[in-house]
Amino acid sequence: MTEKVKKSGRREQDVALSHTEEKDVRDNQSLNSVSLYAIVHREGLEELQRPMMSLWWSGVAAGIGISLSILAEGILHHLFINSPNQFVIENLGYTVGFVLVIVGRLQLFTENTLSVILPLLSKPSFNMGLCIARLWFIVFAANMFGTFLAAFFSFTLQAVPPELVDGMTAISEHYAKLSPSDVFSFGITSGFIIAAIVWMKPSVKHSQILMIVIFTYLIAIGNFTHVIAGSTELFLLTLQNKITVLETISLIGATLLGNIVGGTGLFALLAYGQVVREIEK
């Protein structure tokens, strides 16, 4: 009886709403967890089906684009070098490259630690695992190539004024002082934050840029490590012979593992865990 009353009440309420009012409700209703999962899951499947060359060039563009974060930090470092708030201000520049890459839908490796993993968690298979490995390899290699090009053009070809390169170098030196265990640990937090951004994007269509700025600024101000943005810093130092190639590889590898643990090992599993019973039904 109670159930009939509830259903009847819902029907009466539905009839009471005009078409315009119904549209307003749909447009302003928050997405639930299952809806978010479905959107990110679908995006992951679409990425896995993209041609290899599309992934490669998008990944190269993302590597170059993310390097604008280091350039922007270098510019702000140079402009506010004597300011007591220098650290707070210069780290705002870190958000620039992420806004470009994420809003521009370029292939950033750390975004794929969540989106392409959800299809694997829902339907595990050896073939799906191979597809993910293929995508990760292509995108990561392309990102590294892009960040190296950015560092090479900035320093070696002097595409960036020397005083700004000095600012970029000053920003980058903190990374080289960290141990592999440090960058791994800090990379877990960074990987978790980037995966969270991917998860939240569908819910904040009209304020994506603000959301990206807030959370990537958190990465910068907290001195957490991001393997793609950080590789620009390390390549820049390597080209200036401030660190060795072996040190660069070691720090990039440790950061990569940390980002994967944070994005896939933590956030992806938690995101899937909260909806698994509902999607099974």
Side-chain angles (χ1 to χ4, degrees):
M1 181 69 179
T2 306
E3 206 168 320
K4 287 181 180 178
V5 171
K6 285 182 180 178
K7 288 181 180 178
S8 174
R10 278 199 298 269
R11 281 198 295 270
E12 288 173 9
Q13 189 179 28
D14 289 343
V15 172
L17 293 175
S18 68
H19 176 73
T20 303
E21 289 168 334
E22 281 284 4
K23 185 176 183 301
D24 286 340
V25 170
R26 288 195 302 271
D27 290 345
N28 292 284
Q29 188 177 22
S30 298
L31 294 172
N32 60 28
S33 297
V34 176
S35 299
L36 285 173
Y37 168 83
I39 292 169
V40 179
H41 180 279
R42 183 176 297 175
E43 288 179 352
L45 287 175
E46 289 173 356
E47 296 300 335
L48 288 169
Q49 292 167 4
R50 293 188 69 186
M52 184 179 71
M53 293 309 295
S54 297
L55 291 173
W56 171 261
W57 290 115
S58 182
V60 172
I64 295 172
I66 205 75
S67 299
L68 291 180
S69 289
I70 314 307
L71 174 59
E73 281 188 294
I75 292 171
L76 292 175
H77 179 88
H78 174 70
L79 293 175
F80 294 92
I81 195 163
N82 294 317
S83 170
N85 299 313
Q86 180 187 6
F87 180 76
V88 175
I89 295 171
E90 69 188 14
N91 278 293
L92 282 169
Y94 191 78
T95 67
V96 173
F98 285 92
V99 170
L100 169 65
V101 170
I102 295 174
V103 175
R105 303 282 304 218
L106 300 177
Q107 286 290 334
L108 186 66
F109 175 82
T110 45
E111 284 192 89
N112 288 323
T113 57
L114 172 67
S115 58
V116 300
I117 289 297
L118 294 184
L120 178 66
L121 292 175
S122 60
K123 289 186 178 179
S125 70
F126 181 72
N127 185 57
M128 181 67 75
L130 286 178
C131 290
I132 291 172
R134 165 188 170 272
L135 181 141
W136 274 10
F137 177 80
I138 294 169
V139 172
F140 182 71
N143 286 169
M144 290 293 104
F145 184 66
T147 55
F148 178 79
L149 281 179
F152 182 79
F153 276 100
S154 298
F155 175 70
T156 308
L157 297 185
Q158 299 182 339
V160 175
E163 63 273 16
L164 299 185
V165 172
D166 290 341
M168 294 167 68
T169 303
I171 288 292
S172 304
E173 285 177 340
H174 81 283
Y175 204 136
K177 294 175 183 176
L178 298 173
S179 68
S181 62
D182 287 335
V183 299
F184 170 77
S185 300
F186 300 157
I188 294 174
T189 304
S190 182
F192 187 91
I193 291 172
I194 296 298
I197 290 174
V198 175
W199 182 261
M200 290 186 291
K201 274 196 305 178
S203 295
V204 289
K205 287 184 178 180
H206 304 297
S207 54
Q208 270 195 25
I209 292 177
L210 178 61
M211 183 264 291
I212 295 167
V213 167
I214 290 171
F215 283 93
T216 53
Y217 182 64
L218 177 61
I219 293 175
I221 205 77
N223 280 325
F224 300 117
T225 51
H226 184 271
V227 65
I228 310 303
S231 67
T232 304
E233 300 176 272
L234 295 173
F235 288 144
L236 188 61
L237 294 174
T238 304
L239 290 171
Q240 297 178 67
N241 294 317
K242 292 182 179 291
I243 59 173
T244 65
V245 173
L246 187 59
E247 287 174 317
T248 298
I249 294 172
S250 174
L251 291 173
I252 287 176
T255 308
L256 171 64
L257 290 176
N259 287 170
I260 291 174
V261 170
T264 298
L266 289 180
F267 196 94
L269 291 175
L270 290 172
Y272 179 71
Q274 70 171 322
V275 301
V276 61
R277 296 303 178 193
E278 294 170 274
I279 61 177
E280 282 176 356
K281 293 176 183 179

